[in-house]
Amino acid sequence: QVQLVESGGGLVQPGGSLGLSCAASGSIFSINAMGWYRQAPGKQRELVAVITSGGSTNYADSVKGRFTISRDNAKNTVYLQMNSLKPEDTAVYYCNAVGRSGPVDFGSWGQGTQVTVSS
């Protein structure tokens, strides 16, 4: 079992910044990739950003240049720094991790954290 615990999020005005973090714990042999997804009301969950164990990153076009994903492999923690936030960034943000737990692959999700961008 691998658990993901998210922190951060909240209410911010347009143009503001927020940071999210997500720590993985449990029976972890290795984590291949960690990422952030978001789901706005009435919409499907979508990828925001992902980072591999080697540091390669991929971002949704809508957040490129504004969001930065980073990772501390020693702490099994992933971060998302969100700048120049827009109302359309309002969503529940979910952390995701995929890797190996003992002899088996795992894919885990965090519980989600609300980000609201509003004046």
Side-chain angles (χ1 to χ4, degrees):
Q1 293 282 351
V2 177
Q3 298 81 36
L4 302 180
V5 178
E6 299 148 347
S7 60
L11 174 65
V12 65
Q13 292 186 342
S17 298
L18 276 177
L20 305 179
S21 63
C22 170
S25 63
S27 180
I28 299 171
F29 178 73
S30 63
I31 299 179
N32 297 331
M34 300 185 78
W36 291 94
Y37 292 71
R38 66 187 182 187
Q39 187 167 17
K43 295 187 177 181
Q44 290 187 334
R45 191 173 296 189
E46 63 176 3
L47 172 71
V48 176
V50 64
I51 185 168
T52 68
S53 59
S56 297
T57 58
N58 189 39
Y59 294 90
D61 288 342
S62 59
V63 307
K64 283 181 180 177
R66 300 188 297 121
F67 291 11
T68 302
I69 189 169
S70 60
R71 177 174 171 174
D72 187 331
N73 289 334
K75 296 181 178 179
N76 290 329
T77 299
V78 64
Y79 307 92
L80 186 68
Q81 178 63 38
M82 303 181 291
N83 299 327
S84 302
L85 282 160
K86 305 175 181 180
E88 50 263 43
D89 294 317
T90 295
V92 178
Y93 284 68
Y94 296 91
C95 176
N96 173 264
V98 294
R100 295 284 290 184
S101 176
V104 299
D105 295 333
F106 76 87
S108 296
W109 291 92
Q111 78 281 4
T113 185
Q114 178 70 46
V115 172
T116 302
V117 184
S118 175
S119 55

